[in-house]
Structures are given as structure tokens and as C-alpha cells.
């Protein structure tokens, strides 16, 4: 199999932001139609900025590393910035992903977008 | 760090005696067995010795019934295509099972595109076909049954002697992919009414790239590879003499000590299963509890995905494999576990432990020590884990 980058393994071994946020500002849960995996993402928003993000993932090494990296990157971003976060930027931050694993990063971004939608819908 | 290899259904470490048996064929006995001169005759002698060693292990009536190939996949392709085409005048219906190795399944799918009809028999919860259903599936134009002897993922053993009986009653050719069972459980082509059997060297401590097809005398089959007169005109190409000599040695070892060693392997396997059962909650064994290869335990860890488990085990030096969709390349879950009716969620968390003669009690205890915290850590990360 194609090897994972060091960065991916680092995040797989010691993932950041595992768990859930009580009373989150937004929550996104997505299932992956490709391989059947599931990702759950929570965000806490204060003054339009994501101050905390947490995840739970049922999935492969890439899915776990992506979730970890994604939550790290999202923290400190405004809702607007986070809404524009692309899966490619996460892949880049992870030092690349094997081709068959790109879809795992797409799932992560979808979870984030869903959490943002959830947050926005609560606002309105 | 300790290294524990528990992926022996994928491949095995070559036995030191096998390595020793192969070296002369690179250094001194390098002749082409088809040559007339002394170099060739010497190589030929060893080629035939190996043929005898393979024949003996599976109790073939004669060494001539062994045709050397490049391995299990080629043997499966050879057996199925060359006999299906040879029998095309009699019929175009083939029966197989839904849990075969891809070398068999994809060969059958290929034949479907070229005018053959294939029945894929389902399996029970343990992964065994129902011989009664097999019998009912045979029709006037059935020419070939191809069903594995034991499954590579779960180790479940198929009722091959019953299948052989049905095949001979109905006058249908019976091919079995016996790559996983030869050398691990007693395997007798004559007793079980087998016409064609695929074998592979590297699953039984032999080298990679060598295998054989057993072809019972009188079985109708086309020439497989065209070229010279090698292998009784059935499979052209200069024989891989070093590999074949190694394969022969591996068969001899399997014959003289293999089955005895398997009792020890089974003990270790059961120690592993028990150890996991005692230390990890919410697991399930995939495959038949008894009718199973002595070296294989396929265990699902509920609410987890397999790649994350085998990666974590790998970080501890432990090599295993999984039926998870995430590692399959096609991103589809194991067709074997799916056929057994195992829910995709639980198939995702399956890990195959397959042992060999090299494993020790210390290896097993090391795994039993390292595994529970891994499962614990990953379950804490899983959004579907309901808790204990
Ligand atoms: S989560 Fe299934 S391949 Fe990554």
C-alpha cells in the first residue's frame, strides 16, 4: 500500500481534539458513501470565530488524521474562513495523502460545513 | 521493538531448509531442464524430484499429475479457463461460491463475458456452502464446479469431500483452490474426488512465484500457455527450477512435520483468541468455530474500522490484515464477510490473525498485552461506540 506521510502518522498516533463539546454552537455528522465511515464534528463559536472544535471518527488512519488536522486548522478561524476551508488545504497540511484516501479528507470538510450550517441555522 | 508476524495467510517466511535447497540451482545446477546435455539432465532430475514431493503431499496418483505454474493465481486461471473451454461442447455452466479468492471470482466473471453462465453459491454464517444447494444447482450443461478448500480470510473449511462426491455422481469436473489448506490440514485429492487443485509455494514456507496445478489423469483440459513442450505440453515456458526445488522441499517438510506443527500453531491461535476474548469486550469470531484452518482467527472489534487497528498494531511491530473497505483498494468491504451476512459495520472492524510455525507463546502474549489499549483508544474516538 502507498505509505502515509509522517505528518499523517503523527496525527493518527496523537490526534488532537478528540471528543465532543457540550452545548456546541454547531454539530455536523456525515457518513461516507464510499467506504461506510462516519465522522462527527463539533464547533464552539464566539463572536463569529471558532474557539473550539472536536471530533469523533469511525474510519481509517487518513480519516482520523484528517479530522485531527481539520479541527486544529479550524480553531481560530472566523466562520467565513472556515466555510471556505478546502480539503486540499488539509491534504497539503498533512504532507499529502495516498490517492485512494483523498475521499476521507472530503468527508472531513463536509462535516465541518455541516457544523457551520447547523450553527448558521441556529442563528437565524 | 518486538516484531510479530501474524499475516501468514498472505505469505510466509521461507523456511531456512527451503532456502538451502534452492541455492544450488542458482550457483551450480543452472541448466535448462529441456536441454539434452548433462547440465540440462541434472536440472531435469531435480525438477522431477520436486514434482514427486508435491504429488506426495496431496496424495496424487502420479507425479505426472502435477504441472508447475507461477503460483496460485495462475493455477486458478489455468484450471478454470482451460477446462471450461475444453468442455464448452458439453456445456457452459460453471458453479462456484461467493467467498472464493478473487483469482477464482474474477476468472469466473471473465468467463461470463465470453458466453459462460456462472452460479455463485451463497454461504451460511460460518462461510460454508450447502452441498444440497450445490446438487440442486447442477443442470445438464454444468461442466465445472470450482470451490475453495478453505477460505483465506476466515479459515473456514469447505465440505470438499461431499462436493467431490456430488461432482463425480453428476459427472462434473471439480476444481478446488487449495492454496490455503495444503500443508495446514490433511489434503488428499484422491479421497476427495478432486480433478483439479491449485497450489502455491509461498503459503507453506516456500518461495513466491511458484505454484502448481494438480490435474487428475483423464481430466479434459486445454493447453494453458503456448510455446515449447514443457510440462507435458500443458504449460509452456522454461521451468523456474530454483523455485520449484524450493517448493518441493517445502512440500516435503509439510509432509514430514507440517501437520504435527499445526497442532502447536492451533494451540497458539486459541491462546490468542482466548486472550483477546478475556481482555476486550464486544468482539466476534468470523468463521467456523471448529471447521477452520488451525492457524487462522478472524475477529471483529465492534464499532471500529480495521485499518486504524492494523496501523496501530503495526506501530507495535505486529503485522495483521483486515477485511475493512478502507484497505481493500476497491473501497468495498470484504466479499467474504458480506456473504456470511456480517453487517458492514462489523465487517469494517475485522482483523485477521494468521499464524505460522515461527510464532511463539511470547509473541502471542505480546499481542494480548498490546491490543486492549489500542482498541480502547480507538473506541473512544468512535462516534458509533455505545460504551461497554
Ligand atoms: S475512512 Fe474509509 S478509506 Fe478513509
Amino acid at each position: 500500500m502507498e505509505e502515509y506521510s509522517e505528518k499523517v502518522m503523527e496525527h493518527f498516533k496523537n490526534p488532537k481534539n478528540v471528543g465532543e463539546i457540550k452545548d456546541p454552537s454547531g454539530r455536523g455528522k456525515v457518513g461516507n458513501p464510499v467506504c461506510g465511515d462516519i465522522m462527527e464534528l463539533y464547533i464552539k463559536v464566539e463572536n463569529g470565530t471558532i474557539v473550539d472544535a472536536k471530533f469523533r471518527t469511525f474510519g481509517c488512519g487518513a480519516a482520523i488524521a484528517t479530522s485531527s488536522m481539520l479541527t486544529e486548522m479550524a480553531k481560530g478561524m472566523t466562520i467565513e474562513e472556515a466555510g471556505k476551508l478546502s480539503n486540499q488545504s488539509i491534504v497539503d497540511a498533512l504532507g499529502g495523502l495516498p490517492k485512494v484516501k483523498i475521499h476521507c479528507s472530503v468527508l472531513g470538510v463536509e462535516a465541518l460545513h455541516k457544523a457551520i450550517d447547523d450553527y448558521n441555522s441556529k442563528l437565524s | 521493538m518486538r516484531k510479530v508476524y501474524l499475516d501468514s495467510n498472505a505469505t510466509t517466511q521461507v523456511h531456512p531448509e527451503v532456502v538451502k535447497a534452492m541455492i544450488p540451482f542458482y550457483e551450480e545446477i543452472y541448466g535448462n531442464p529441456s536441454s539434452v546435455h548433462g547440465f540440462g539432465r541434472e536440472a531435469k532430475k531435480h525438477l522431477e524430484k520436486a514434482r514427486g514431493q508435491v504429488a506426495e503431499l496431496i496424495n496424487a496418483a502420479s507425479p505426472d499429475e502435477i504441472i508447475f505454474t507461477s503460483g496460485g493465481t495462475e493455477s486458478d486461471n489455468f484450471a478454470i479457463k482451460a477446462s471450461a473451454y475444453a468442455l464448452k461442447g458439453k456445456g457452459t455452466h460453471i458453479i462456484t461460491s461467493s467467498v472464493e479468492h478473487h483469482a477464482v471470482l474474477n476468472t469466473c466473471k471473465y468467463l461470463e463475458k465470453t458466453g459462460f453462465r456462472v452460479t455463485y453459491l451463497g454461504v451460511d454464517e460460518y462461510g460454508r456452502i450447502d452441498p444440497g444447494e450445490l446438487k440442486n444447482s447442477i443442470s445438464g450443461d454444468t461442466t465445472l464446479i470450482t470451490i475453495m478448500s478453505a477460505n483465506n480470510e476466515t479459515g473456514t473449511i469447505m465440505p470438499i469431500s461431499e462436493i467431490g462426491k456430488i461432482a463425480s455422481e453428476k459427472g462434473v469436473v471439480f476444481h478446488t483452490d487449495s492454496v490455503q489448506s495444503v500443508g495446514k490440514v490433511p489434503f488428499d485429492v484422491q479421497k476427495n474426488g478432486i480433478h483439479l487443485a491449485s497450489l502455491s509455494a509461498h503459503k507453506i514456507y516456500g518461495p513466491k512465484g511458484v505454484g502448481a496445478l494438480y490435474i487428475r489423469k483423464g481430466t479434459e483440459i486445454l493447453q494453458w500457455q503456448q510455446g515449447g513442450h514443457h510440462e507435458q505440453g500443458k504449460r509452456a515456458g522454461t521451468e523456474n527450477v530454483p523455485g520449484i526445488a524450493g517448493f518441493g522441499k517445502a512440500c516435503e517438510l509439510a509432509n514430514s512435520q507440517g501437520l504435527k506443527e499445526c497442532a502447536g500453531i492451533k494451540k497458539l491461535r486459541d491462546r490468542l483468541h482466548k486472550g483477546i476474548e478475556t481482555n476486550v469486550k464486544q468482539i466476534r469470531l468470523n468463521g467456523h468455530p471448529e471447521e477452520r484452518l488451525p492457524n487462522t482467527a478472524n475477529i471483529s472489534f465492534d464499532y471500529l474500522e480495521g485499518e486504524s487497528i492494523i496501523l496501530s498494531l503495526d506501530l507495535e511491530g505486529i503485522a495483521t490484515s483486515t477485511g475493512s473497505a478502507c484497505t481493500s483498494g476497491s473501497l468495498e468491504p470484504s466479499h467474504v464477510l458480506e456473504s456470511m451476512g456480517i453487517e458492514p459495520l462489523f465487517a469494517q472492524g475485522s482483523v485477521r490473525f494468521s499464524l505460522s510455525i515461527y510464532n511463539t507463546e511470547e509473541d502471542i502474549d505480546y499481542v494480548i498485552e498490546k491490543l486492549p489499549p489500542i482498541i480502547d483508544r480507538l473506541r473512544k474516538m468512535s462516534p458509533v461506540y455505545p460504551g461497554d
Side-chain angles (χ1 to χ4, degrees):
Chain A
M1 199 184 96
E2 223 180 309
E3 213 177 325
Y4 282 137
S5 70
E6 245 169 71
K7 205 83 226 167
V8 170
M9 285 313 289
E10 225 177 273
H11 279 267
F12 171 70
K13 278 191 263 183
N14 295 303
K16 306 268 170 33
N17 313 312
V18 176
E20 76 185 84
I21 296 175
K22 294 236 157 64
D23 297 319
S25 318
R27 173 178 173 266
K29 185 170 178 178
V30 288
N32 184 339
V34 183
C35 57
D37 292 317
I38 301 160
M39 205 177 275
E40 202 167 32
L41 201 107
Y42 302 84
I43 51 173
K44 181 110 204 144
V45 182
E46 273 168 23
N47 304 321
T49 299
I50 298 177
V51 292
D52 198 9
K54 285 213 173 347
F55 78 91
R56 275 212 193 115
T57 292
F58 168 86
C60 71
I64 291 171
T66 302
S67 314
S68 166
M69 180 55 94
L70 167 81
T71 46
E72 277 297 272
M73 288 167 80
K75 281 200 281 188
M77 281 185 173
T78 64
I79 280 293
E80 214 170 61
E81 287 166 336
K84 287 192 208 130
L85 193 65
S86 72
N87 78 298
Q88 190 55 47
S89 56
I90 300 162
V91 173
D92 291 343
L94 284 170
L97 276 180
K99 243 195 238 108
V100 290
K101 297 292 185 182
I102 296 294
H103 71 96
C104 317
S105 69
V106 174
L107 185 71
V109 170
E110 274 170 16
L112 176 63
H113 290 171
K114 251 198 166 167
I116 293 172
D117 287 348
D118 182 40
Y119 165 73
N120 284 333
S121 73
K122 278 185 195 162
L123 280 188
S124 57
Chain B
M1 185 175 50
R2 201 180 180 98
K3 290 246 184 235
V4 180
Y5 186 76
L6 297 180
D7 200 13
S8 296
N9 286 6
T11 195
T12 54
Q13 182 188 344
V14 179
H15 196 288
E17 278 191 52
V18 170
V19 175
K20 228 168 57 202
M22 290 171 71
I23 289 170
F25 299 95
Y26 292 107
E27 291 177 348
E28 304 134 38
I29 314 170
Y30 51 79
N32 184 328
S34 297
S35 300
V36 173
H37 47 64
F39 292 85
R41 289 198 308 273
E42 178 71 3
K44 175 85 177 166
K45 197 175 83 198
H46 290 280
L47 178 67
E48 295 315 318
K49 180 179 165 202
R51 206 183 300 284
Q53 288 165 318
V54 177
E56 208 180 318
L57 178 62
I58 62 170
N59 193 30
S62 150
D64 292 348
E65 296 178 321
I66 304 298
I67 303 296
F68 288 113
T69 68
S70 66
T73 293
E74 187 194 326
S75 297
D76 286 338
N77 271 267
F78 180 177
I80 297 169
K81 288 185 203 158
S83 61
Y85 286 128
L87 299 166
K88 209 172 176 182
K90 292 187 184 155
T92 52
H93 180 225
I94 299 166
I95 302 173
T96 186
S97 84
S98 55
V99 296
E100 298 297 310
H101 190 275
H102 283 119
V104 167
L105 280 182
N106 288 339
T107 302
C108 287
K109 284 195 187 127
Y110 169 84
L111 286 177
E112 278 182 299
K113 284 189 208 146
T114 61
F116 289 86
R117 189 164 65 84
V118 180
T119 299
Y120 300 88
L121 296 176
V123 294
D124 63 15
E125 58 183 316
Y126 301 125
R128 286 158 59 100
I129 62 131
D130 171 7
E133 194 188 339
L134 167 68
K135 212 168 184 174
N136 293 336
S137 309
I138 297 175
S139 61
D141 66 340
T142 308
T143 55
L144 177 68
I145 296 168
T146 169
I147 291 174
M148 66 199 335
S149 307
N151 187 268
N152 48 308
E153 290 187 32
T154 61
T156 292
I157 294 171
M158 287 285 191
I160 52 165
S161 76
E162 283 171 74
I163 298 168
K165 223 182 264 153
I166 293 168
S168 53
E169 267 169 38
K170 301 273 184 179
V172 177
V173 172
F174 175 29
H175 165 250
T176 185
D177 175 351
S178 56
V179 160
Q180 292 292 347
S181 47
V182 165
K184 293 178 194 154
V185 286
F187 183 77
D188 186 321
V189 286
Q190 297 192 67
K191 242 210 233 128
N192 293 306
I194 293 162
H195 299 98
L196 301 161
S198 302
L199 319 177
S200 166
H202 76 104
K203 309 284 192 193
I204 55 167
Y205 316 105
K208 291 167 185 66
V210 197
L213 182 64
Y214 159 77
I215 306 176
R216 176 187 291 203
K217 219 164 244 141
T219 306
E220 266 183 82
I221 192 157
L222 295 181
Q223 179 189 53
W224 175 235
Q225 207 157 262
Q226 286 71 49
H229 289 284
H230 316 83
E231 298 295 296
Q232 302 155 60
K234 290 202 174 75
R235 197 254 187 198
T238 297
E239 295 87 350
N240 169 5
V241 182
I244 289 170
F247 185 18
K249 187 72 192 177
C251 287
E252 184 201 304
L253 292 171
N255 213 5
S256 60
Q257 31 184 287
L259 295 177
K260 260 177 270 149
E261 286 164 342
C262 277
I265 296 175
K266 182 168 184 285
K267 238 188 229 157
L268 289 181
R269 194 247 352 237
D270 293 340
R271 182 188 184 94
L272 175 68
H273 184 195
K274 214 177 200 158
I276 295 173
E277 220 166 32
T278 340
N279 292 293
V280 183
K281 287 191 186 127
Q282 305 184 62
I283 65 155
R284 55 189 82 201
L285 179 74
N286 303 313
H288 200 284
E290 281 100 39
E291 290 297 306
R292 185 161 46 112
L293 295 175
N295 77 320
T296 309
N298 186 314
I299 294 172
S300 276
F301 298 88
D302 293 358
Y303 312 112
L304 293 185
E305 185 285 317
E307 188 201 276
S308 64
I309 305 172
I310 61 170
L311 267 181
S312 306
L313 286 170
D314 187 42
L315 290 168
E316 301 287 358
I318 302 164
T320 55
S321 68
T322 170
S324 163
C326 299
T327 58
S328 70
S330 62
L331 292 172
E332 274 161 25
S334 149
H335 66 285
V336 175
L337 301 182
E338 202 177 14
S339 300
M340 289 159 61
I342 293 168
E343 270 179 68
L345 175 69
F346 301 130
Q348 277 295 77
S350 68
V351 176
R352 180 186 69 185
F353 303 91
S354 50
L355 285 66
S356 75
I357 51 170
Y358 303 110
N359 295 125
T360 62
E361 232 166 69
E362 288 74 39
D363 284 348
I364 298 306
D365 293 345
Y366 177 75
V367 177
I368 296 171
E369 176 201 328
K370 293 292 175 190
L371 185 66
I374 288 173
I375 299 301
D376 209 43
R377 176 182 101 91
L378 293 171
R379 279 192 176 150
K380 283 201 178 109
M381 252 188 263
S382 170
V384 288
Y385 179 54
D388 286 345

